[in-house]
Amino acid sequence: MFIDATKVKFETLENGFLKLTLEDKVYDKVTLTRLLPYSQEEAYIAVIQNQEEIGIIKDLSELESKEYDQVIKHLNYKYYIPEITKINSVKEKMGFLYINLDTKGGEKEICIADFVSNIRLIKENLLSITDVEGNKYRMSNIQKLDKDSRQKIDVFL
Amino acid sequence: MKLKFNLSPEIEKSLEEDIIYALPYDLDFEGEQVDGFLVVTQTKLHLFKAHMLDKTYSLEALKDYEVEQFIGSGALKVTYEGEGARICAFTPKWFRRYAELAKMLNYYAQNKVHSDYDEKKDEYICEKCGYPLLNGSTHCFRCQKKSTVLIKMMELCKPYKKLLVGSIVVTLCVELLWIINPYILRLVIDGYIVPRNQDPIGLMQLIFVYLGIFMTISILERCTMRLTNELSNKVAKELRGMVFEKIQALSLKDVSNRTVGELMNRMGQDTEKIQNFIAEYGRDVIIRGFSLIVLSIILFVTDYRLAILVLLPLPPVLWMVSKLQNTIELKYWKQWRKHGQSSSLLHDILSGIRVVKAYGNEEIEVERYTKAADKVSEAMISAETFWSKTFPFLGYLITLGEFLVLWFAGNLILKNQMQIGELIQYTTYVSMIYVPLRWSIQLPRVLADTMVSGGKVFELLEQESELVEDKQAVEHTIHGDVTFNQVGFGYTVYEPVLKNVSCQIKAGEMIGIVGASGEGKSTLINLLMRLYDVTEGSIEIDGIDIRKFSQKSLRSQIGVVLQETFLFEGTILDNIAYSKPNATFEEIIEAAKIANAHEFIVKLPDAYHTVIGERGYTLSGGERQRVAIARAVLHHPKILILDEATSALDTQTEKKIQEALDRVIEGKTTFAIAHRLSTLKKADRLIVLNKGTIEEIGTHEELMKNESVYYNLVMAQRQTAHIKQ
């Protein structure tokens, strides 16, 4: 079930896919899946090819630094969820929420429908927001939000 | 939708051929934001990054375009020189456009010529504000004026104009009488009581007038109530009827775009808000406005100095109240939400009490519920503390004017410049004017709330169904030949479920549809029933495209038995007769016998009148299935659809149902989604779906010889059966 992290080699191909070499066996076009995406971003990563699991990497820190970089880059792409740093304003219009927020990727103004389902507090501290276009945003630890931002979003949690 | 965005001059200059499509992409494969463009010209596909050319592909070398979807990202995937490749990456906001682009480029790959496309069709971004058009609507909620919604709401009242006007006129009369009352009281006090006027007849007359006014008010208020109730009920009935009819008229796709909760809210909460606004608040705007104007005039005319004392403190106080009201409402709303969450949790725990006890997790659940209850308590305390610190004080400030009047007028009385009766009249008018003023504070909130509900209801009422009945729809008696012509479909544009599905089925054939989960089996059936329209290709019955059938004619000739049987609350008789409401009881018994349902129905105390559902008798899975089969065959359908009809049952029950089905499918064109070997063997032919396309088609024996997808499925099933033994 668990892959020996010391025996893997990852390579990002020109065609945008990830290749895995594990103990002389080559797996083209693998994808990586976080099994615990909300609590363990760098642990329990499933390696999958053609919907079949090759194995699970228990802890990414066990990888060689080059493999670790490859994996992190792939995961950053697959799980593109900008981290929220500040909530500037929350306005409601015709039942939809318009939130202006700062993220690590810059300032964004997003629209949220059905905020009961799309603004969620997971595991007490992790804030997850999905906008009407399907873009996702998160705040890993809502306690770290400034008081103003917290007040603005608190009502919807 | 728009597939050709504006390009920078640098990009445009660098291109030799005409631009056909140009879409931005905003990610790279390392999860970093980029400023990129994918540009398609006559024969090439170019990728630009930061306005510089990054890669160029010849369109000849590309095919099988599709959109891959991840968590917060996606990619345009192609087959390039025989190998899979990802061209560019983007965030979800671009999914739909890239999916449409993929369709266009697949067309090119097949036909070597670019397809025409309508930029305005299926556009989902508002031109004005740049935000998505929501819930599949064609107009923008954000840009919608509140007045538009208000006008639409008032138009609902047109049929009830007389009632509305009558209600307003009667209420205005009541207001006028209330305004006259303090004047009569003043005449009594200043004319008779204070000067001890010895004219009992005069006094009696005034008292009678005073009493008469109160009686008239009482009668007129009853009248108003009756008129308001009648108006309210009629508006509610019409509105709910319109909304429910609309929901019934919409296609399954349109309905599935919304949750059951949302639709229930439209029918319930939202229509109630519109109803209340029309019948009460809307009328009150006129009445309160009238009172405010008349009372203000009276106060100023009587004594402008007192009027200033009363009215001057009001604007800033009312402004403070409205601001604080927003905050208190949010707090109460949060309390309501926490309460809802804790109720939901309680419901969850109590529904699953068996599981809780089986795992001995009572203490954990107690802790969970206690935490949720604590949150409710925190929210309540926060709301009540805020309210108690602010609103009593604000209430005092609002009525400060009364004390100022008492002080100022008291002095005037002591100086004999004012009569006591005058003072009482004046203070009565002052307390009367606070009513419309207090009411006006909540008006913006009520109006905003009603506009939201109105917007949602009208958005539903104005939605055009995706499934449009042909203007010259045919009523055709089905013989049973079915043809799938290069059928393609996806529930979302960028996730096709079926691709290029083609096959011909003769009338009376029994076709088994097999494939792994998620391969499109149920989707194929849904398309045949025209619950959704194909996005590519066509489905024909007896050579006629099903989109040319009248929907009623089509569906009345198709019978369906699903895996998850849904029976309505009602009697067994009602449920069987659902497919043919005017069926005779003899026909119903015949259908029940065919379905092997009659034998258990006669054993029930109330037989066919047995009420089933949450508040009635609970049927077992097998019994429900047999009632569903009876329902499906009652109207003698020409095409029968069985969607895993026996999968959730024990062997003995399955045998009974299988017997019923064997009887039922005779002479009908039957499509059966099945996993059981027994069902598959009985099929005349089998369609094997794999990754949304037909992998194989043939008899059981032919497909077993192929030793391909079907063979593997059967062998896997045999192995499982062997292990079970």
Side-chain angles (χ1 to χ4, degrees):
Chain A
M1 180 167 69
F2 292 110
I3 292 172
D4 184 349
T6 58
K7 292 187 178 148
V8 304
K9 273 196 173 5
F10 282 104
E11 188 189 336
T12 308
L13 303 172
E14 272 242 7
N15 59 15
F17 289 101
L18 198 62
K19 182 171 103 172
L20 165 71
T21 309
L22 176 66
E23 293 175 354
D24 299 329
K25 198 164 177 201
V26 176
Y27 300 90
D28 276 328
K29 294 182 202 158
V30 297
T31 54
L32 306 176
T33 298
R34 284 178 171 139
L35 297 181
L36 297 168
Y38 293 119
S39 59
Q40 305 261 27
E41 286 182 16
E42 297 192 9
Y44 300 102
I45 309 294
V47 185
I48 296 167
Q49 184 195 47
N50 289 335
Q51 296 178 350
E52 284 207 21
E53 190 181 280
I54 298 162
I56 299 171
I57 301 172
K58 203 166 176 184
D59 191 339
L60 292 185
S61 63
E62 291 168 9
L63 292 170
E64 298 281 333
S65 110
K66 192 179 155 230
E67 300 346 291
Y68 174 86
D69 284 343
Q70 299 272 334
V71 167
I72 286 294
K73 279 175 184 168
H74 180 87
L75 288 171
N76 284 345
Y77 159 61
K78 189 181 169 187
Y79 293 88
Y80 182 72
I81 307 178
E83 181 83 11
I84 299 168
T85 52
K86 194 172 187 315
I87 293 174
N88 299 314
S89 69
V90 179
K91 287 180 192 148
E92 196 233 323
K93 188 168 177 170
M94 299 300 280
F96 296 91
L97 281 188
Y98 295 87
I99 303 184
N100 184 295
L101 39 80
D102 288 342
T103 70
K104 284 188 178 163
E107 189 184 333
K108 300 206 185 278
E109 177 136 343
I110 62 175
C111 172
I112 299 171
D114 185 17
F115 54 80
V116 172
S117 310
N118 291 312
I119 300 180
R120 291 166 57 206
L121 200 58
I122 297 162
K123 298 253 168 223
E124 301 284 328
N125 284 326
L126 195 144
L127 174 68
S128 168
I129 296 178
T130 308
D131 71 13
V132 284
E133 293 175 308
N135 299 308
K136 291 182 182 301
Y137 306 89
R138 69 197 263 169
M139 174 84 213
S140 305
N141 187 352
I142 199 172
Q143 309 300 338
K144 290 191 177 157
L145 260 184
D146 60 279
K147 194 177 162 192
D148 223 10
S149 298
R150 185 72 205 260
Q151 266 180 352
K152 290 188 176 94
I153 201 73
D154 204 40
V155 171
F156 304 101
L157 299 177
Chain B
M1 65 178 74
K2 190 174 174 185
L3 295 179
K4 191 172 163 187
F5 282 68
N6 292 336
L7 295 167
S8 67
E10 299 100 312
I11 295 178
E12 285 201 11
K13 263 188 221 161
S14 66
L15 296 165
E16 289 167 354
E17 295 173 333
D18 289 337
I19 299 163
I20 315 284
Y21 310 108
L23 284 186
Y25 66 91
D26 52 2
L27 284 183
D28 65 15
F29 292 111
E30 293 177 0
E32 297 295 333
Q33 280 187 300
V34 298
D35 174 15
F37 256 101
L38 180 148
V39 181
V40 177
T41 57
Q42 286 292 343
T43 60
K44 294 205 175 22
L45 186 149
H46 307 274
L47 287 174
F48 288 86
K49 222 186 241 184
H51 310 283
M52 306 286 289
L53 183 64
D54 188 40
K55 254 185 207 156
T56 296
Y57 299 87
S58 166
L59 288 179
E60 285 295 317
L62 301 171
K63 61 177 184 172
D64 302 330
Y65 298 81
E66 62 179 284
V67 168
E68 265 187 326
Q69 196 183 351
F70 301 120
I71 326 294
S73 66
L76 181 65
K77 199 175 137 197
V78 296
T79 302
Y80 173 54
E81 292 174 344
E83 289 280 323
R86 287 176 181 148
I87 298 279
C88 63
F90 37 80
T91 53
K93 71 183 271 189
W94 299 108
F95 279 7
R96 283 174 74 166
R97 291 195 203 275
Y98 272 95
E100 193 66 17
L101 179 67
K103 262 170 58 176
M104 297 298 159
L105 293 175
N106 280 330
Y107 179 89
Y108 177 86
Q110 247 187 339
N111 301 289
K112 303 303 172 207
V113 67
H114 287 289
S115 162
D116 291 324
Y117 71 94
D118 183 355
E119 261 206 354
K120 295 219 184 309
K121 193 181 169 212
D122 296 330
E123 182 50 61
Y124 63 97
I125 297 287
C126 171
E127 264 179 5
K128 211 170 153 195
C129 64
Y131 277 92
L133 302 172
L134 300 163
N135 286 344
S137 177
T138 50
H139 58 267
C140 181
F141 264 11
R142 200 164 193 252
C143 299
Q144 185 174 238
K145 286 188 194 146
K146 282 187 181 154
S147 55
T148 315
V149 178
L150 194 61
I151 291 166
K152 285 179 191 171
M153 277 183 0
M154 296 326 295
E155 277 172 8
L156 279 174
C157 302
K158 268 191 185 154
Y160 314 109
K161 241 186 334 204
K162 283 187 186 155
L163 266 177
L164 184 62
V165 167
S167 167
I168 291 171
V169 164
V170 173
T171 316
L172 277 173
C173 291
V174 169
E175 286 297 302
L176 269 170
L177 287 173
W178 277 115
I179 289 170
I180 292 171
N181 246 357
Y183 175 69
I184 306 292
L185 189 62
R186 175 192 156 184
L187 291 178
V188 167
I189 295 169
D190 289 344
Y192 291 89
I193 294 173
V194 169
R196 295 172 200 263
N197 190 334
Q198 300 301 315
D199 177 10
I201 294 170
L203 177 62
M204 192 68 75
Q205 280 171 343
L206 270 179
I207 300 289
F208 270 123
V209 168
Y210 196 62
L211 266 172
I213 288 174
F214 270 109
M215 267 179 60
T216 313
I217 287 173
S218 168
I219 294 166
L220 288 179
E221 274 182 348
R222 271 206 198 153
C223 211
T224 310
M225 264 172 57
R226 197 180 66 76
L227 288 169
T228 309
N229 281 339
E230 201 180 324
L231 176 66
S232 174
N233 287 329
K234 283 186 170 166
V235 166
K237 189 180 155 197
E238 171 151 350
L239 196 52
R240 289 206 176 110
M242 278 162 67
V243 172
F244 188 66
E245 262 182 56
K246 187 65 189 189
I247 292 171
Q248 292 296 313
L250 288 175
S251 70
L252 188 62
K253 187 173 182 182
D254 298 324
V255 172
S256 308
N257 277 341
R258 298 172 168 85
T259 61
V260 171
E262 242 181 281
L263 291 172
M264 299 269 303
N265 278 342
R266 294 298 162 275
M267 284 286 304
Q269 218 174 301
D270 292 327
T271 53
E272 201 179 312
K273 281 185 187 165
I274 297 173
Q275 169 197 349
N276 287 339
F277 187 83
I278 291 171
E280 289 180 38
Y281 283 109
R283 183 204 60 181
D284 284 352
V285 165
I286 299 170
I287 309 295
R288 305 285 182 210
F290 171 80
S291 294
L292 198 58
I293 293 166
V294 169
L295 286 168
S296 301
I297 292 170
I298 291 175
L299 288 177
F300 270 98
V301 162
T302 310
D303 193 319
Y304 73 91
R305 299 164 297 177
L306 291 177
I308 290 169
L309 278 178
V310 168
L311 297 174
L312 205 62
L314 284 177
V317 172
L318 290 174
W319 179 84
M320 272 170 61
V321 169
S322 72
K323 287 292 161 213
L324 289 171
Q325 190 127 12
N326 286 342
T327 310
I328 193 72
E329 266 169 31
L330 284 174
K331 285 186 180 288
Y332 276 122
W333 186 78
K334 185 174 178 178
Q335 179 192 317
W336 174 82
R337 267 206 72 194
K338 293 295 167 197
H339 185 75
Q341 284 168 359
S342 81
S343 296
S344 188
L345 176 66
L346 184 64
H347 184 267
D348 206 33
I349 296 169
L350 292 178
S351 303
I353 195 74
R354 222 174 139 191
V355 175
V356 172
K357 288 192 175 298
Y359 288 97
N361 280 343
E362 290 91 334
E363 271 183 41
I364 293 174
E365 296 304 347
V366 164
E367 205 185 308
R368 256 178 88 198
Y369 182 70
T370 308
K371 267 190 190 152
D374 283 343
K375 284 189 180 152
V376 176
S377 173
E378 271 166 34
M380 267 175 74
I381 290 170
S382 168
E384 296 302 333
T385 308
F386 182 83
W387 193 95
S388 63
K389 277 183 188 168
T390 50
F391 276 81
F393 178 67
L394 282 174
Y396 163 73
L397 281 181
I398 287 173
T399 49
L400 191 62
E402 281 189 69
F403 301 103
L404 290 171
V405 163
L406 209 54
W407 164 75
F408 193 83
N411 273 307
L412 290 177
I413 290 174
L414 292 173
K415 289 176 191 169
N416 285 325
Q417 288 172 11
M418 192 182 216
Q419 304 294 319
I420 289 176
E422 259 184 277
L423 173 62
I424 291 172
Q425 179 192 354
Y426 205 87
T427 50
T428 310
Y429 284 142
V430 166
S431 55
M432 280 171 74
I433 206 172
Y434 286 135
V435 171
L437 283 172
R438 275 207 172 98
W439 176 89
S440 68
I441 295 169
Q442 48 170 324
L443 182 62
R445 179 184 56 82
V446 168
L447 201 62
D449 234 0
T450 311
M451 292 305 113
V452 171
S453 292
K456 288 180 182 175
V457 166
F458 290 117
E459 177 255 337
L460 179 68
L461 288 174
E462 288 163 10
Q463 184 170 355
E464 283 175 18
S465 177
E466 279 232 352
L467 283 186
V468 177
E469 181 135 310
D470 197 283
K471 281 177 189 151
Q472 288 161 331
V474 297
E475 308 266 336
H476 168 76
T477 305
I478 291 174
H479 176 59
D481 295 313
V482 178
T483 309
F484 291 89
N485 291 316
Q486 296 181 305
V487 165
F489 176 78
Y491 293 102
T492 60
V493 171
Y494 45 88
E495 276 179 297
V497 175
L498 293 173
K499 292 169 259 187
N500 204 23
V501 168
S502 293
C503 60
Q504 277 185 317
I505 290 104
K506 293 201 189 82
E509 268 197 286
M510 192 214 165
I511 301 293
I513 304 174
V514 296
S517 257
E519 294 296 353
K521 304 185 293 294
S522 294
T523 305
L524 199 63
I525 299 306
N526 288 340
L527 291 173
L528 180 61
M529 291 193 282
R530 214 190 159 203
L531 293 177
Y532 299 88
D533 262 344
V534 298
T535 49
E536 282 163 17
S538 65
I539 300 174
E540 290 173 2
I541 294 178
D542 301 338
I544 304 170
D545 191 322
I546 59 172
R547 287 170 289 195
K548 295 220 185 310
F549 271 79
S550 96
Q551 289 187 43
K552 200 169 176 182
S553 165
L554 176 70
R555 296 202 188 125
S556 66
Q557 298 184 78
I558 296 178
V560 56
V561 183
L562 303 169
Q563 183 185 6
E564 298 282 333
T565 309
F566 185 85
L567 300 178
F568 291 99
E569 288 238 356
T571 62
I572 290 178
L573 182 73
D574 293 335
N575 272 282
I576 296 175
Y578 192 75
S579 59
K580 190 179 176 189
N582 57 357
T584 61
F585 188 51
E586 287 78 6
E587 284 176 310
I588 290 170
I589 294 179
E590 193 196 329
K593 282 188 172 179
I594 290 170
N596 271 351
H598 182 78
E599 60 181 57
F600 82 81
I601 295 173
V602 298
K603 291 177 188 158
L604 300 170
D606 294 339
Y608 282 86
H609 276 164
T610 304
V611 174
I612 52 177
E614 223 177 79
R615 287 182 288 269
Y617 187 84
T618 309
L619 297 178
S620 70
E623 288 167 349
R624 294 167 67 83
Q625 204 66 303
R626 283 180 271 172
V627 169
I629 294 170
R631 180 174 66 188
V633 302
L634 177 66
H635 61 301
H636 304 292
K638 303 292 168 41
I639 294 175
L640 194 61
I641 290 168
L642 310 169
D643 190 343
E644 301 193 56
T646 61
S647 63
L649 305 166
D650 61 88
T651 321
Q652 205 179 356
T653 313
E654 190 200 335
K655 190 168 172 260
K656 280 200 194 308
I657 288 171
Q658 202 53 62
E659 275 170 21
L661 289 175
D662 288 342
R663 255 176 275 164
V664 143
I665 65 178
E666 226 177 278
K668 295 182 185 37
T669 307
T670 307
F671 292 86
I673 297 174
H675 299 298
R676 309 280 174 125
L677 264 177
S678 48
T679 317
L680 300 176
K681 275 188 178 171
K682 285 186 182 151
D684 293 318
R685 281 191 293 161
L686 295 152
I687 292 174
V688 182
L689 290 174
N690 188 30
K691 290 182 183 146
T693 57
I694 295 183
E695 186 77 23
E696 304 176 272
I697 187 165
T699 63
H700 168 78
E701 292 75 23
E702 286 165 359
L703 297 181
M704 287 301 284
K705 276 193 195 144
N706 286 350
E707 291 194 14
S708 185
V709 175
Y710 180 74
Y711 174 83
N712 292 333
L713 284 168
V714 170
M715 296 313 287
Q717 213 185 101
R718 279 183 183 164
Q719 263 188 345
T720 313
H722 181 70
I723 289 165
K724 280 182 181 169
Q725 283 164 13

